Amino acid sequence: MAVRVRRIYDSPEPEDGVRVLVDRLWPRGMAKDAARIDEWPKGLTPSSELRRWFHAGDGSYEEFARRYEAELAEPEAARLVDHLRELVRSGDVTLLTASKSPDRSQASVLRGVLDGG
């Protein structure tokens, strides 16, 4: 079972498995039917405060990752992480983001948490 990170704007592929949107806001210009999203757990996304802090350029990606991992340890988010782990045990999961740099986004941090746990 694999965890992939892709941009939501990329065409869905058969090997995507379960497609999970990990952005708090719906991606601009993306039609919901074209996105082919299976799950959108908003409680798993970075807090609005953390998202604004990171996008304002106030801190490093490493600090963002540390803060986001702390948020993922909170009870509601931890429950959703456990749910994603169950999905990964059952098959492939693709974490989707609108970020122009998916490898330096919350999707990449979340993949690391899933791979490490």
Side-chain angles (χ1 to χ4, degrees), residues 30-85:
M30 174 57 66
K32 291 193 178 188
D33 59 334
R36 218 191 97 225
I37 299 299
D38 296 306
E39 298 199 18
W40 186 15
K42 293 180 188 175
L44 193 62
T45 63
S47 66
S48 295
E49 297 79 19
L50 180 57
R51 185 175 46 81
R52 283 188 209 111
W53 173 84
F54 184 55
H55 291 297
D58 293 338
S60 68
Y61 173 73
E62 291 72 21
E63 178 64 15
F64 167 78
R66 188 189 66 71
R67 291 181 184 193
Y68 181 43
E69 286 174 0
E71 288 185 357
L72 291 173
E74 294 294 321
E76 179 188 359
R79 181 181 56 78
L80 292 168
V81 167
D82 287 343
H83 170 69
L84 283 183
R85 284 188 178 119

Side-chain angles (χ1 to χ4, degrees), residues 7-44:
R7 291 195 75 216
I8 185 96
Y9 301 108
D10 297 337
S11 297
E13 297 179 353
E15 51 276 350
D16 284 347
V18 177
R19 292 171 53 89
V20 181
L21 179 61
V22 295
D23 289 347
R24 185 168 296 267
L25 305 174
W26 187 260
R28 289 183 184 190
M30 174 57 66
K32 291 193 178 188
D33 59 334
R36 218 191 97 225
I37 299 299
D38 296 306
E39 298 199 18
W40 186 15
K42 293 180 188 175
L44 193 62

Side-chain angles (χ1 to χ4, degrees), residues 87-102:
L87 291 176
V88 171
R89 285 185 194 103
S90 301
D92 295 331
V93 173
T94 298
L95 305 176
L96 300 164
T97 181
S99 174
K100 291 179 183 176
S101 301

